[in-house]
Amino acid sequence: MHGNKQHLQKDFFLYNASKARSKTYINMREVSQRFRLPPSEYVIVPSTYEPHQEGEFILRVFSEKRNLSEEAENTISVDRPVKKKKHKPIIFVSDRANSNKELGVDQEAEEGKDKAGPEKQGETPQARPGHTDQETEEQQQFRNIFRQIAGDDMEICADELKNVLNTVVNKHKDLKTQGFTLESCRSMIALMDTDGSGRLNLQEFHHLWKKIKAWQKIFKHYDSDHSGTINSYEMRNAVNDAGFHLNSQLYDIITMRYADKHMNIDFDSFICCFVRLEGMFRAFNAFDKDGDGIIKLNVLEWLQLTMYA
């Protein structure tokens, strides 16, 4: 384990027995214990008396022999599709006031295959070779629902997006949810809006729905009791499954921001969290041109980025 600072998952504790622990597990401010252990690598796991509680602690280890200790922590990163060719630079939406600055934004690999043309298109994405008839029918269903709500301009705002998404989600009887809120839909538009219009066309909406379906699959996997919620620990694993690798401090922030008083996260908050993570990682990568993990923003860029995210 030395040198590997990754956060230990649940399986580690299921298949590795405890070597030593406190004699009594009671609610005390201070716990001290003496152990005799053979030379090896060990993980010390402090905990609160009740689950889902936050607490600060000081851990002191006295050893008769010289030892090396380090904190287990994840490296913050996000999984990205492998780029097959260089994408055409676009104006990043959070920097649209400064129109002469072009920022390359990471996009899905399939977007690089689209033919050059106007960004706003009303056409339904054509089925590619190898796609099934079922996918073609789904695209037709999306076009019909989208046209009924969007109107002749074939673009939707946040209110219309809410109607579209809730119409589709309500057909999934196995997903217990009250639907998406207006604030969540505004965040989704901010994620997919590449020209700063504050609206989505059919192609952008279809791409957004593919993301929501992927995240919905993850949510249903961890919502094993079909309660419509997942707990904070399951959220940590769900975030990792979606390709977002965070540290403990950020997981705590997610719990404080999106969980209820029982430390449970519903489907709307779940999707809203993933939309925010996707958007913020995308924005950071757009500004981090040299890839060193450090960006420099002036106050205008910072406000544009955070206010629209």
Side-chain angles (χ1 to χ4, degrees):
M1 274 185 59
H2 177 61
N4 180 15
K5 298 184 180 182
Q6 294 297 311
H7 184 84
L8 298 176
Q9 300 298 317
K10 181 179 180 180
D11 289 344
F12 175 86
F13 298 96
L14 290 176
Y15 298 108
N16 293 273
S18 174
K19 299 300 182 181
R21 63 174 62 192
S22 302
K23 291 182 178 180
T24 55
Y25 191 73
I26 57 178
N27 192 5
M28 295 183 61
R29 288 183 57 86
E30 182 176 332
V31 177
S32 61
Q33 199 76 37
R34 180 181 177 90
F35 302 106
R36 183 181 295 272
L37 299 171
S40 184
E41 295 182 5
Y42 297 95
V43 179
I44 303 176
V45 184
S47 69
T48 55
Y49 186 68
E50 297 290 343
H52 305 303
Q53 289 185 343
E54 183 178 355
E56 296 181 350
F57 63 90
I58 297 177
L59 176 64
R60 294 189 295 180
V61 178
F62 299 94
S63 174
E64 295 180 357
K65 304 293 183 180
R66 183 177 180 272
N67 70 88
L68 177 65
S69 61
E70 57 188 4
E71 182 179 359
E73 192 61 276
N74 287 340
T75 301
I76 300 174
S77 64
V78 61
D79 296 339
R80 288 292 182 186
V82 178
K83 294 182 180 180
K84 295 185 178 180
K85 68 176 183 178
K86 187 176 181 180
H87 299 299
K88 180 181 178 181
I90 64 173
I91 304 298
F92 189 65
V93 65
S94 64
D95 195 43
R96 58 191 179 278
N98 188 9
S99 59
N100 63 343
K101 180 185 290 186
E102 291 188 338
L103 299 173
V105 178
D106 285 342
Q107 300 179 359
E108 303 294 341
E110 63 192 44
E111 289 182 343
K113 298 179 182 179
D114 295 338
K115 294 182 179 179
E119 289 185 0
K120 293 288 183 185
Q121 301 175 6
E123 300 296 329
T124 305
Q126 298 295 323
R128 297 189 181 118
H131 280 217
T132 63
D133 293 336
Q134 183 178 1
E135 290 174 320
T136 304
E137 291 175 1
E138 181 178 310
Q139 291 178 349
Q140 184 65 37
Q141 181 185 17
F142 266 99
R143 192 219 289 255
N144 293 336
I145 298 175
F146 195 90
R147 178 179 292 148
Q148 291 174 7
I149 298 179
D152 296 336
D153 62 352
M154 290 297 286
E155 293 183 359
I156 57 175
C157 62
D159 290 283
E160 295 168 331
L161 176 62
K162 176 183 175 182
N163 294 334
V164 174
L165 288 178
N166 289 339
T167 299
V168 177
V169 169
N170 288 337
K171 295 183 179 180
H172 293 262
K173 303 301 181 182
D174 57 336
L175 184 63
K176 185 178 179 181
T177 177
Q178 297 180 351
F180 294 101
T181 63
L182 180 60
E183 186 61 31
S184 297
C185 293
R186 286 171 175 162
S187 297
M188 294 177 195
I189 288 183
L191 171 66
M192 302 306 303
D193 184 16
T194 58
D195 62 354
S197 67
R199 303 170 69 86
L200 297 183
N201 63 25
L202 178 58
Q203 186 176 13
E204 290 169 334
F205 172 71
H206 189 266
H207 183 57
L208 170 64
W209 179 245
K210 289 179 66 177
K211 285 185 174 294
I212 293 177
K213 284 202 301 182
W215 295 336
Q216 173 187 321
K217 184 178 180 181
I218 296 174
F219 183 87
K220 291 170 65 176
H221 171 73
Y222 288 101
D223 183 23
S224 55
D225 58 354
H226 304 289
S227 64
T229 62
I230 61 176
N231 61 41
S232 57
Y233 178 80
E234 293 169 332
M235 184 63 174
R236 177 189 291 264
N237 293 332
V239 169
N240 187 73
D241 288 353
F244 304 108
H245 309 294
L246 312 178
N247 60 19
S248 296
Q249 183 180 2
L250 290 174
Y251 285 124
D252 291 341
I253 291 175
I254 287 177
T255 300
M256 289 187 291
R257 174 65 174 82
Y258 295 101
D260 60 18
K261 62 181 180 180
H262 302 295
M263 296 299 169
N264 293 323
I265 300 172
D266 61 21
F267 182 66
D268 176 62
S269 298
F270 178 86
I271 296 297
C272 191
C273 174
F274 278 25
V275 167
R276 177 60 62 90
L277 284 172
E278 177 81 15
M280 298 308 290
F281 268 111
R282 179 184 295 182
F284 186 90
N285 290 334
F287 282 99
D288 185 20
K289 293 184 178 181
D290 54 4
D292 63 352
I294 299 174
I295 62 174
K296 183 177 181 180
L297 304 177
N298 59 39
V299 63
L300 174 61
E301 292 170 330
W302 169 251
L303 291 174
Q304 288 175 332
L305 176 62
T306 55
M307 293 299 293
Y308 192 66

